[in-house]
Amino acid sequence: MKHYPFILFYLFCNVFIYAFHGSIWVYLFCFFAFSAVVVWGSFDIELGYFVNSITHKRTRLKEVALTFDDGPTEFTPKFLDLLKEHEVKATFFCIGKQIEKYPETFQRIIAEGHTIGNHTLSHSNSTGFLSTSKMIEEIEKCDEIMKNVGNIKNALYRPPFGVTNPNIAKAIKKTNKISIGWNVRSLDTITDDENKIYRRVTKGLKKGSIILLHDTSAKTFRVLTNLLVFLEDKKYSTFTVDTVINSNRND
């Protein structure tokens, strides 16, 4: 856990309180400021505050990873067609209940050589408030479905919404998962403006970037169509996130 900036902030709060003789307003200010920082740490997966997540690949090559969350869905086959056309392999973080809904699509993802990751059983909106035992159940049940439907199991896990906290950290550790984040977030589930999504992704690209997309809409499919052309024009190759783990083990 990368707590050093937060420890420094905590020390600053103590010095601030001492300097202003510890009035109630100073205490309240420091309490709310520190609470805001902890919340920030919970929602920004790149900070690694509660969980060390892989958010990029250390590389000198012009290569990026395409990752897709929340599938499989009715749109996923079109994404697979497009990736196959461009000879690109991606990483799909799948929801257990979606796998049950679209088992053939899940099997196709595997058959076409893409990498699979666990994205919990239900991707609950209350993920950040679940107990450790409930989070373990969410992860393990998704693993079970992945095994039953696709005869596959691996250690890759992406926290829903990128949210982490002590309970989630314990669940990841107990299930022997490796948390995968990102450093380029498309926000394709928030905005309907395809040009904004495209610009956000292409503007943020660096060597070794991990891009977060969702195979859940025609909108993102159209963005991906343009993005793949952009990557080809700029001479970017692609990697899957499991190769980052393998390269780290070989270092």
Side-chain angles (χ1 to χ4, degrees):
M1 293 184 231
K2 303 170 186 176
H3 284 93
Y4 300 112
F6 298 92
I7 293 171
L8 290 174
F9 182 77
Y10 175 76
L11 293 174
F12 166 79
C13 286
N14 280 275
V15 171
F16 189 76
I17 290 170
Y18 177 79
F20 287 89
H21 308 293
S23 74
I24 184 63
W25 295 113
V26 172
Y27 276 109
L28 286 173
F29 168 80
C30 289
F31 171 77
F32 286 114
F34 189 71
S35 297
V37 170
V38 172
V39 170
W40 173 33
S42 299
F43 282 89
D44 191 340
I45 200 167
E46 286 188 68
L47 292 177
Y49 183 61
F50 292 108
V51 178
N52 281 323
S53 299
I54 293 173
T55 59
H56 64 283
K57 180 180 183 180
R58 295 191 301 271
T59 179
R60 296 179 181 178
L61 302 176
K62 289 186 72 174
E63 56 180 345
V64 297
L66 296 172
T67 68
F68 299 94
D69 285 11
D70 298 0
T73 71
E74 61 186 293
F75 299 100
T76 305
K78 291 185 66 176
F79 282 77
L80 293 173
D81 291 342
L82 186 60
L83 293 170
K84 188 174 184 179
E85 178 185 338
H86 288 264
E87 299 182 340
V88 167
K89 303 301 181 188
T91 306
F92 289 80
F93 290 94
C94 299
I95 299 171
K97 289 185 176 181
Q98 289 299 117
I99 296 171
E100 290 181 321
K101 192 173 180 181
Y102 299 97
E104 295 86 1
T105 303
F106 182 70
Q107 291 163 354
R108 180 184 168 187
I109 295 171
I110 298 167
E112 295 188 359
H114 301 287
T115 297
I116 295 291
N118 184 312
H119 203 40
T120 71
L121 172 69
S122 64
H123 199 291
S124 170
N125 289 333
S126 60
T127 292
F129 303 97
L130 298 180
S131 65
T132 299
S133 61
K134 183 60 179 176
M135 278 306 307
I136 291 173
E137 181 182 341
E138 282 278 320
I139 295 171
E140 289 183 339
K141 284 192 173 181
C142 183
D143 269 347
E144 183 180 340
I145 293 168
M146 289 167 58
K147 179 68 174 175
N148 291 339
V149 177
N151 194 30
I152 189 170
K153 183 178 181 180
N154 63 41
L156 303 181
Y157 170 74
R158 175 167 278 169
F161 313 108
V163 172
T164 58
N165 59 35
N167 288 341
I168 293 172
K170 290 175 186 175
I172 290 172
K173 184 176 181 180
K174 287 182 180 293
T175 53
N176 297 311
K177 294 298 182 185
I178 299 169
S179 179
I180 308 296
W182 56 80
N183 63 353
V184 177
R185 188 172 193 172
S186 65
L187 298 180
D188 57 341
T189 58
I190 296 175
T191 178
D192 290 326
D193 190 326
E194 295 171 22
N195 291 326
K196 270 188 181 179
I197 297 169
Y198 175 79
R199 287 196 301 268
R200 182 178 177 85
V201 172
T202 55
K203 183 179 179 181
L205 279 188
K206 300 175 183 177
K207 294 177 181 178
S209 286
I210 296 178
I211 304 167
L212 169 62
L213 297 160
H214 295 78
D215 53 321
T216 57
S217 68
K219 164 189 63 183
T220 301
F221 172 78
R222 290 189 290 269
V223 171
L224 179 63
T225 301
N226 294 327
L227 176 59
L228 290 173
V229 172
F230 171 87
L231 294 177
E232 290 174 358
D233 288 345
K234 298 299 181 181
K235 309 299 182 186
Y236 274 98
S237 60
T238 57
F239 63 91
T240 52
V241 296
D242 55 314
T243 63
V244 182
I245 299 164
N246 294 335
S247 65
N248 288 346
R249 287 171 177 168
N250 294 329
D251 286 344

